[in-house]
Every structure is written in structure tokens, then in C-alpha cells.
Amino acid sequence: GQQVMQIPQYQHVQEGEDFTTYCNSSTTLSNIQWYKQRPGGHPVFLIQLVKSGEVKKQKRLTFQFGEAKKNSSLHITATQTTDVGTYFCAGPRGSSNTGKLIFGQGTTLQVKP
Amino acid sequence: DVKVTQSSRYLVKRTGEKVFLECVQDMDHENMFWYRQDPGLGLRLIYFSYDVKMKEKGDIPEGYSVSREKKERFSLILESASTNQTSMYLCASTKGGKLFFGSGTQLSVL
């Protein structure tokens, strides 16, 4: 069945270092979404990418959608302690636009001050 | 702001009990979801509802049922709780394909 894999599962960085998490889908996706979950919190929508090769930036966060629309990455430049949390990628199941998403396992980021 | 409210933040139940997890959204969204979150496994879809009284099984529906009698309310039911259902349960509704989550219910089954 359709799968979304995310690596690494955990990452510890020193504050100021960069961080990247990678997401790979077994099928071509119509779009990919990224969510952030702070410790003790719930996932919160960050961004959606739709176009092949799309790159979007939110301050220190850069999101990319692969040319084949099967992979994506999130890169954080110069991490801060506020970046701590788990980052999930998610893609639609099949061709539906109902909000039914399949999630990656998440990457948990720890930042040492 | 979209608000998705889950009735309990923490619940402790005994094996064999019937458990109700309630979720209410205030944005008139048609689609609502129940996910389960476990370390290393991410979020897994239990059930999905696309309208009142309409439901669809997700990836892990065994041991669960749902009820949607009103558009704003989506309930998850554990018919007979078991220890392997100890988990974080997240309710969500959707607008434009993106999910809005509730704060979650951490359920412990002893």
C-alpha cells in the first residue's frame, strides 16, 4: 500500500546548526504538507507544496517538493531552541482531496542551547 | 480561528471498559478524522467521517467504532478497551485539504 517514509527519526543539533528532514513517498503525490508538533502539543499545519520542484520559504525554514513529486525536504537554517519538536510530512491518500492524509513517522528535533 | 476541542486531555481506564472520546469542531467542516499517535509510528488513521452519519474505516479500525450524529461532533468509541490501545488520540477536521487538530487525549488502559 501507499507509504510515506521520513528520515531521520531523531536529530540532535547545537543551536545555530542547520537541520534537514527528508520525506519519501511510494507514490506520486498531488501535494505534500508539513506539520510541526511541539512537545506536549498537537500537530500544526506549516505549509503545503503543490507544484513539481516547488520551493517555499518561511523565515529560516525552506521546503522543497521534488521534481517527480515523490519526495520533499524541510531545511532549517541556524536552528533555535524554539524549533524543538517533531516535524511530519503528509500526503493525500490516492487522488482524494478529502483531507485524508498519510503521515510520515516524523523527525524529532532536539536543539542544545 | 478554527477550534477543534477534545473533551479530555488525559484518561485512565481499565481493561474491558467501554470508552468514549469526544471531539467538537466549530467551523462547520464536513470531514473529520480520528488519528492515533504512537512513538516511531507517526499518526495512523483510525476512522474518517465525510458527513453526518457517514463514516469510513482508516488503516487501523479494529477495536474502534465511531459516531457522528451532528456535523460538529465526532466520537471515537473503544468497545472494550485493551492495553494495546494505550496511546495519544488526535481528532482533526479539514478545510482546503489541510488538517486542524485538537489538543489530543492521552489514554492509558490499565
Side-chain angles (χ1 to χ4, degrees):
Chain A
Q2 185 182 4
Q3 289 187 330
V4 175
M5 306 296 292
Q6 214 176 327
I7 56 168
Q9 189 172 354
Y10 298 99
Q11 185 87 55
H12 295 249
V13 300
Q14 199 73 37
E15 189 172 22
E17 291 181 341
D18 292 356
F19 159 77
T20 305
T21 173
Y22 299 92
C23 180
N24 288 285
S25 170
S26 59
T27 60
T28 302
L29 301 171
S30 59
N31 67 78
I32 194 153
Q33 299 179 21
W34 286 89
Y35 291 78
K36 177 182 179 180
Q37 183 176 25
R38 295 182 187 276
H42 58 276
V44 174
F45 175 84
L46 291 178
I47 205 161
Q48 178 174 280
L49 304 170
V50 178
K51 297 177 185 174
S52 169
E54 189 170 14
V55 178
K56 285 189 175 180
K57 292 192 175 187
Q58 289 180 350
K59 297 183 181 178
R60 294 176 297 102
L61 277 61
T62 302
F63 302 85
Q64 285 190 297
F65 199 11
E67 295 288 342
K69 301 183 79 173
K70 293 183 73 174
N71 56 71
S72 182
S73 65
L74 158 59
H75 179 81
I76 303 178
T77 304
T79 55
Q80 299 175 359
T81 55
T82 53
D83 296 324
V84 164
T86 301
Y87 294 84
F88 294 97
C89 63
R93 292 165 182 267
S95 57
S96 72
N97 191 31
T98 55
K100 281 174 67 176
L101 300 179
I102 183 162
F103 283 81
Q105 302 94 321
T107 296
T108 299
L109 173 64
Q110 298 277 11
V111 180
K112 292 179 245 180
Chain B
D1 272 358
V2 175
K3 193 161 185 184
V4 180
T5 304
Q6 293 184 232
S7 53
S8 304
R9 185 72 178 93
Y10 299 97
L11 270 182
V12 180
K13 297 292 180 181
R14 296 211 176 271
T15 303
E17 279 193 75
K18 190 167 186 175
V19 181
F20 293 86
L21 302 183
E22 306 286 347
C23 175
V24 177
Q25 50 98 1
D26 66 355
M27 287 303 292
D28 202 37
H29 291 167
E30 291 183 351
N31 297 347
M32 296 185 73
F33 308 82
W34 275 104
Y35 281 91
R36 170 177 171 161
Q37 182 174 17
D38 299 287
L41 297 178
L43 282 74
R44 293 179 292 166
L45 182 64
I46 305 172
Y47 264 100
F48 157 59
S49 171
Y50 49 95
D51 204 347
V52 174
K53 296 190 188 296
M54 306 303 282
K55 62 187 179 187
E56 194 173 295
K57 292 180 180 178
D59 297 320
I60 51 166
E62 296 79 18
Y64 303 94
S65 61
V66 290
S67 172
R68 190 144 179 226
E69 296 297 318
K70 293 185 177 181
K71 192 174 186 178
E72 67 270 19
R73 188 179 297 269
F74 190 34
S75 303
L76 180 69
I77 304 154
L78 285 67
E79 297 292 342
S80 177
S82 63
T83 55
N84 62 14
Q85 293 179 309
T86 291
S87 187
M88 170 66 80
Y89 290 88
L90 289 159
C91 175
S93 67
T94 187
K95 182 177 177 68
K98 70 182 185 187
L99 295 180
F100 297 87
F101 285 91
S103 299
T105 297
Q106 179 62 52
L107 173 67
S108 297
V109 182
L110 306 178

